[in-house]
Amino acid sequence: MKKIFPALAFLALLTSACAPTTPLPPPQPDSVSPTESPADTPPPDTSHLTPETPAYISFIINVHDWTHPDESADILLQLVDLFEKYNVRGDFYFTAEVTRTLAENHPEVIERLKNSNMTISYHVRPPHPLYTGFDSRLDGLSDDALYQTLLDYETYALNLETGELDRSQPGGYAYVAQVFGRNPIVAPAPNSGKLKDAAQKVFASLGAQMTLLYHEEGTTLEQPFEFVNGLLVRPSDFSVTRVTSVDDSDRFWWNFVTSSDAAEYNPTKMLQDQLAEWVRRTSSLSQSRAPFITALIHENNFYRSGPEGWKSFYYDMNGVKKGDPLSPPYNLSASDPSTLRTEADQAAIFAAYEELVAYAAAHLTVVTSEDIVAMAK
């Protein structure tokens, strides 16, 4: 794969991190063969992408479906193939639980990713104590005890039935790093306050380089590179994830690609509309820069609809306290609240996603968290 940033452009990027009033340089997009673009996609209007306003986009795959390992494994292999087809990189965020399940049941997926140029990152899901509602065991701990407890949870396995540690086997961030042979770049701490602060310090000590303060937007125009506890905050000016323009409802695009108004939920159109809005909004300002765009999806969104398969283990799905976290021990045999999408819906979602990847590869600069860290340093 050719490098995204030539030496001179990379030097300019380093300078821009220190002098935020200097616009970021234009992207050097990876080339895409004309035969690789979807045949029914007309050439997009890129007139709004001037040398002064390039755009950076990250394709983030949140991987967490350990209850359907066969389906998860299949889509992960397809996604690696897709990114390599267009000569770009995806950023795959793994939980320790899905990593263990894939390593035991689908080692070919682990090997495929290890031998690819994809970026590996990390995240957590219940009953990890960094999730609000599952953090009672951290209450009242001193700073030192909190740090050590969180370090243990990122070193040893998480007992999915009790939420306690299983010190007989590795787990957490350290386990994902061990399995993939490299430190995950991003390690979010989804809780808040004292817990988030301690977790960021733990992740930094283990080798992480980036964290999250927001998922889809929140970066300031003046300074896109912000650090906290030694970790770069993942920048995101806007995302290609949700649609609110159709009827003011907050909807994920992948749930409507076969609906009667599917064109309004097309992710490539979403991207183009938001790029045009970015240029309109920043053109009158004295300063402009490249927007950082997040294209986020979960691997199970390609093949299942409804709540994640593990949600009923950890949340009240039907009772009087619907949506509230349950108390341990958790019932790992609870009914699956998700449903398998039809083959037609799966194909439509993947086709729309491929169109987005093809567009980005041809007209923007596709980056992962690893690239952004290099830009900010």
Side-chain angles (χ1 to χ4, degrees):
M1 174 180 292
K2 74 176 187 178
K3 293 185 180 297
I4 296 177
F5 303 105
L8 293 178
F10 184 68
L11 180 59
L13 285 169
L14 295 179
T15 304
S16 71
C18 299
T21 56
T22 304
L24 296 178
Q28 303 295 324
D30 295 320
S31 61
V32 178
S33 168
T35 61
E36 293 180 326
S37 298
D40 57 352
T41 303
D45 177 13
T46 58
S47 60
H48 53 277
L49 294 178
T50 68
E52 290 74 33
T53 56
Y56 302 97
I57 186 168
S58 298
F59 288 100
I60 292 169
I61 313 295
N62 281 342
V63 185
H64 60 177
D65 190 9
W66 53 271
T67 57
H68 304 98
D70 296 344
E71 296 161 359
S72 178
D74 182 62
I75 193 62
L76 291 176
L77 293 174
Q78 291 183 57
L79 288 170
V80 175
D81 289 343
L82 175 65
F83 292 132
E84 290 184 346
K85 175 181 178 180
Y86 292 101
N87 197 29
V88 297
R89 304 168 71 197
D91 206 336
F92 292 79
Y93 287 55
F94 283 88
T95 66
E97 291 68 43
V98 76
T99 301
R100 192 183 314 278
T101 301
L102 290 171
E104 293 174 351
N105 298 281
H106 290 282
E108 73 279 5
V109 175
I110 302 297
E111 289 306 308
R112 181 75 174 88
L113 281 156
K114 285 177 66 175
N115 296 323
S116 75
N117 199 27
M118 303 299 113
T119 293
I120 301 298
S121 289
Y122 174 76
H123 64 152
V124 298
R125 289 288 186 264
H128 194 289
L130 280 178
Y131 246 82
T132 299
F134 301 87
D135 52 8
S136 60
R137 66 186 69 250
L138 304 177
D139 291 345
L141 295 181
S142 67
D143 290 348
D144 289 345
L146 176 61
Y147 180 94
Q148 185 59 53
T149 300
L150 290 176
L151 179 61
D152 288 344
Y153 270 94
E154 300 308 331
T155 305
Y156 300 105
L158 176 66
N159 185 310
L160 298 176
E161 186 174 359
T162 66
E164 297 175 352
L165 284 172
D166 176 2
R167 296 177 182 271
S168 68
Q169 55 183 334
Y173 179 98
Y175 175 71
V176 176
Q178 172 192 324
V179 169
F180 286 102
R182 46 188 145 151
N183 288 335
I185 302 298
V186 188
N191 215 301
S192 60
K194 178 180 177 180
L195 299 187
K196 181 182 285 289
D197 184 70
Q200 289 168 348
K201 294 174 182 177
V202 168
F203 288 134
S205 74
L206 292 172
Q209 300 181 68
M210 184 179 281
T211 189
L212 268 67
L213 295 186
Y214 40 81
H215 273 85
E216 298 175 39
E217 61 181 61
T219 303
T220 63
L221 181 66
E222 296 77 15
Q223 178 53 278
F225 301 135
E226 175 187 359
F227 287 85
V228 57
N229 288 318
L231 300 173
L232 177 66
V233 176
R234 189 179 78 188
S236 184
D237 293 294
F238 56 86
S239 73
V240 185
T241 307
R242 308 165 192 267
V243 180
T244 57
S245 60
V246 178
D247 58 5
D248 295 326
S249 298
D250 186 5
R251 305 183 188 276
F252 294 118
W253 66 261
W254 48 82
N255 289 329
F256 296 90
V257 294
T258 58
S259 65
S260 59
D261 49 1
E264 296 300 314
Y265 291 96
N266 178 274
T268 304
K269 178 183 182 300
M270 292 169 57
L271 172 60
Q272 293 172 332
D273 289 348
Q274 291 186 94
L275 281 169
E277 172 61 20
W278 173 268
V279 173
R280 185 201 65 76
R281 183 161 58 88
T282 61
S283 60
S284 61
L285 303 177
S286 60
Q287 174 192 0
S288 184
R289 62 164 173 78
F292 287 90
I293 307 161
T294 300
L296 184 152
I297 193 169
H298 306 78
E299 99 274 31
N300 58 295
N301 297 144
F302 285 98
Y303 53 81
R304 299 194 78 86
S305 61
E308 290 82 357
W310 46 262
K311 273 286 179 71
S312 59
F313 303 166
Y314 303 112
Y315 293 94
D316 186 342
M317 305 298 291
N318 302 299
V320 294
K321 296 183 177 181
K322 185 176 180 180
D324 284 357
L326 298 171
S327 299
Y330 305 107
N331 179 12
L332 303 188
S333 298
S335 61
D336 186 347
S338 68
T339 57
L340 185 66
R341 296 186 189 273
T342 66
E343 291 186 4
D345 282 355
Q346 292 185 52
I349 293 170
F350 195 87
Y353 191 78
E354 177 168 6
E355 180 186 357
L356 177 64
V357 172
Y359 174 88
H363 301 284
L364 309 180
T365 296
V366 179
V367 294
T368 70
S369 55
E370 197 168 12
D371 303 310
I372 298 174
V373 167
M375 293 166 62
K377 284 186 175 180

